[in-house]
Amino acid sequence: MTSPEPTAAPGVPTVLVVDFGAQYAQLIARRIREARVYSEIVPHDITAEELVARNPAALVLSGGPASVYAEDAPALDPAILDAGIPTFGICYGFQIMATTLGGVVERTGIAEYGGTSLQLTTGESTLFHGLPRQQSVWMSHGDTVTAAPPDFDVVARTADTPVAAFESVARRFAGVQFHPEVMHSQHGQTVLEHFLYEIAGCAPTWTMANVIEEQVGAIRAQVGDARAVCGLSGGVDSAVAAALVQRAIGEQLTCVFVDHGLLRQGEAEQVERDFVAATGVSLKVVDAQQRFLDALAGVSDPEEKRKIIGREFIRVFEQAAREVVADAGAEGETVEFLVQGTLYPDVVESGGGSGTANIKSHHNVGGLPDDLQFDLVEPLASLFKDEVRAVGLELGLPEDIVWRQPFPGPGLGIRIIGEVTGERLEILRAADAIARAELTAAGLDRDIWQCPVVLLGDVRSVGVQGDGRTYGHPVVLRPVSSEDAMTADWSRVPYDVLARISTRITNEVPAINRVALDVTSKPPGTIEWE
């Protein structure tokens, strides 16, 4: 069972993002939240009655991959635009507004993709006031709005799109053909905020404190008087989820730290020391290293490895849950809930949401066994990493925990290409520790989203060390920069830092004789190799 998205506190305006199948519908919601206005996502087939019952402060119609002319194109209940709710259309949502309200959308044969020069047609626009008359925006469309609906002002155009933005302040409607939510649109966030504040009349009052308040209430309502366990992985996600649930239910929560042998160097010690000191949570440590190694023996397929790790985690938890009850002397009780630090990008990549491809199973989403004995508590499932960090700081967690580089639930098991063995884990642990130490020494921890070190366990390369021939393993450095893990680019780490990392690894880890650098963006590559 998955927990619902957090709901806004009473009196906080909620903007509903109507999703027409765009992968970035959640990014739109995130940008709205960055403007300190609460937002949630609803499907495009929501009825006017259902939507009005939510009493939204405003609507944002997302983009989408379809053409408005396609037979099976996502549609919007026309009555929604007659409900008196301020509405902002983006790309496909802009075209839906145009056709529904009496404008014209045509296939002109000219598409616009990527960076495009936008020209304002008036200096009096509410959407664009105070912004340059010419600016770069990010386009991705084949169909084009050629005529705005009656009583709408055309406020921007491009060389090939005569209606690139329109507004009707009196009706509290506006829309743009470009994507203001992406970083490549120079003033996109400002345009979105002009709609929220000046057309929709939303107040910027939503904060991470609201998230905590609402999630604490939701967790208490879901868990009641039952007991819960939370798996600590050493990463920020599970730490923040645990701290949030502990705030809600206190001693009903026991954190279980499974030392599965797939951790980074010093990870177990930091969890036992720093997290417990910061939260006072009850912690049970389970040594399951040999169990995981035995289960992974002979397995090279990455999807199978993820599923095995997820399955073994749950089995360990089931046993730990029984021990938690026994330790508490609560005869007859059971642990009903499992707390997980699932984030929205995990859900997307695991096939969550309408029309989303299953890119890979996540240990805490698609890797769970069918016969799971717990109900899930996932208080972070609608948040991005930066929001999770903000919640962690608000909860008083140490910065060393909050600002740790993301680490996958399956640990180093998915950073070894090929079979996972004890020897390979020791090799990778040593190389990873060197890379992390040098990035920290260079002051790059907050400039780089994360830097997985990947051991090519099934590959060997010839080298020369100490005037002798070697036949060792290569490792790959994967430094990436990202805002939310939905997209990423490889980080331009200074050459001298890369040189120090390479020199130390090849000098200090005898089994490694070659260090490579992964310069692939996401897409097409995922951040982790497996």
Side-chain angles (χ1 to χ4, degrees):
M1 181 173 68
T2 303
S3 60
E5 286 194 9
T7 54
V12 175
T14 300
V15 174
L16 297 181
V17 178
V18 180
D19 183 6
F20 286 98
Q23 183 179 5
Y24 295 109
Q26 188 77 9
L27 182 55
I28 297 170
R30 177 185 165 187
R31 297 302 187 210
I32 296 170
R33 295 179 190 184
E34 287 176 358
R36 297 181 61 195
V37 178
Y38 184 75
S39 61
E40 295 180 3
I41 296 174
V42 295
H44 68 83
D45 57 0
I46 189 171
T47 66
E49 183 180 6
E50 292 169 333
L51 190 143
V52 170
R54 301 280 300 267
N55 193 30
L59 304 178
V60 175
L61 311 183
S62 84
S67 164
V68 293
Y69 294 107
E71 287 186 14
D72 57 349
L76 182 72
D77 183 344
I80 288 174
L81 296 181
D82 291 328
I85 303 168
T87 303
F88 183 65
I90 294 174
C91 194
Y92 183 85
F94 173 67
Q95 296 171 6
I96 285 285
M97 286 185 72
T99 56
T100 303
L101 297 172
V104 179
V105 177
E106 296 183 86
R107 292 176 176 172
T108 63
I110 301 175
E112 291 178 311
Y113 297 101
T116 305
S117 179
L118 183 81
Q119 181 70 41
L120 304 189
T121 59
T122 173
E124 305 301 320
S125 165
T126 301
L127 278 182
F128 294 95
H129 74 82
L131 299 179
R133 294 297 297 266
Q134 190 161 328
Q135 54 193 271
S136 180
V137 298
W138 193 259
M139 290 283 197
S140 182
H141 68 102
D143 298 338
T144 300
V145 178
T146 56
D151 302 321
F152 275 68
D153 297 320
V154 177
V155 295
R157 61 168 297 138
T158 72
D160 296 313
T161 300
V163 183
F166 56 47
E167 63 184 44
S168 174
V169 177
R171 297 184 64 179
R172 299 190 297 173
F173 283 170
V176 295
Q177 181 61 70
F178 61 90
H179 287 272
E181 73 274 19
V182 303
M183 295 177 62
H184 306 292
S185 291
Q186 285 181 326
H187 303 282
Q189 183 68 13
T190 301
V191 171
L192 184 58
E193 290 176 1
H194 283 171
F195 166 75
L196 293 171
Y197 303 154
E198 300 177 35
I199 295 178
C202 296
T205 56
W206 185 74
T207 67
M208 289 302 105
N210 296 133
V211 173
I212 294 170
E213 177 187 352
E214 290 308 306
Q215 276 301 299
V216 164
I219 292 163
R220 286 173 178 164
Q222 181 184 5
V223 176
D225 296 328
R227 290 181 176 272
V229 289
C230 177
L232 289 180
S233 68
V236 61
D237 304 338
S238 64
V240 173
L244 190 51
V245 174
Q246 202 242 3
R247 171 77 63 92
I249 63 174
E251 294 180 356
Q252 295 167 238
L253 173 70
T254 299
C255 288
V256 178
F257 178 68
V258 177
D259 188 352
H260 51 24
L262 308 175
L263 301 170
R264 294 174 286 195
Q265 196 172 91
E267 200 128 43
E269 294 79 6
Q270 185 187 37
V271 169
E272 291 189 58
R273 181 186 65 244
D274 296 346
F275 184 75
V276 173
T279 63
V281 73
S282 174
L283 179 66
K284 181 179 181 65
V285 179
V286 180
D287 183 352
Q289 297 183 52
Q290 194 58 51
R291 174 177 182 150
F292 278 81
L293 280 176
D294 290 345
L296 291 167
V299 178
S300 296
D301 179 75
E303 205 45 17
E304 189 177 353
K305 283 196 286 188
R306 284 178 173 271
K307 290 184 180 298
I308 288 171
I309 294 168
R311 181 195 70 212
E312 293 303 315
F313 247 101
I314 294 303
R315 296 303 170 239
V316 171
F317 264 83
E318 288 169 348
Q319 177 59 35
R322 290 189 288 270
E323 294 174 3
V324 165
V325 173
D327 293 345
E331 188 174 349
E333 281 194 59
T334 59
V335 175
E336 297 181 20
F337 294 93
L338 171 61
V339 179
Q340 294 202 129
T342 307
L343 304 191
Y344 181 75
D346 299 337
V347 176
V348 170
E349 288 195 340
S350 296
S354 174
T356 307
N358 186 354
I359 299 170
K360 57 186 178 184
S361 293
H362 280 264
H363 147 77
N364 52 353
V365 183
L368 296 177
D370 295 333
D371 59 344
L372 181 66
Q373 299 300 307
F374 303 104
D375 285 338
L376 297 182
V377 180
E378 297 179 303
L380 310 178
S382 66
L383 301 182
F384 289 90
K385 182 73 74 173
D386 58 339
E387 294 175 323
V388 171
R389 287 194 168 114
V391 168
L393 293 173
E394 188 79 21
L395 288 167
L397 290 179
E399 289 197 3
D400 285 349
I401 292 178
V402 171
W403 288 102
R404 295 197 71 187
Q405 288 189 5
F407 189 58
L412 299 181
I414 60 167
R415 292 183 179 176
I416 295 174
I417 307 303
E419 182 184 6
V420 178
T421 67
E423 179 185 10
R424 289 178 175 181
L425 284 166
E426 289 305 316
I427 293 169
L428 179 53
R429 238 188 298 273
D432 174 82
I434 290 169
R436 286 189 293 130
E438 290 298 333
L439 291 172
T440 298
L444 297 174
D445 281 346
R446 297 197 186 182
D447 295 328
I448 295 175
W449 174 265
Q450 67 184 119
C451 183
V453 179
V454 182
L455 175 67
L456 304 185
D458 288 346
V459 176
R460 288 183 178 270
S461 65
V462 174
V464 55
Q465 291 169 301
D467 295 326
R469 178 184 183 277
T470 62
Y471 196 49
H473 293 289
V475 293
V476 181
L477 304 180
R478 174 71 164 134
V480 294
S481 300
S482 179
E483 283 193 331
D484 48 37
M486 298 293 291
T487 60
D489 194 12
W490 66 280
S491 300
R492 274 60 168 177
V493 177
Y495 290 152
D496 59 330
V497 177
L498 292 173
R500 285 198 299 273
I501 293 173
S502 177
T503 299
R504 284 195 59 193
I505 288 176
T506 53
N507 284 349
E508 299 175 30
V509 188
I512 297 174
N513 66 358
R514 194 177 298 272
V515 177
L517 178 67
D518 184 346
V519 295
T520 312
S521 63
K522 176 187 178 180
T526 55
I527 292 177
E528 299 289 348
W529 275 41
E530 291 197 341

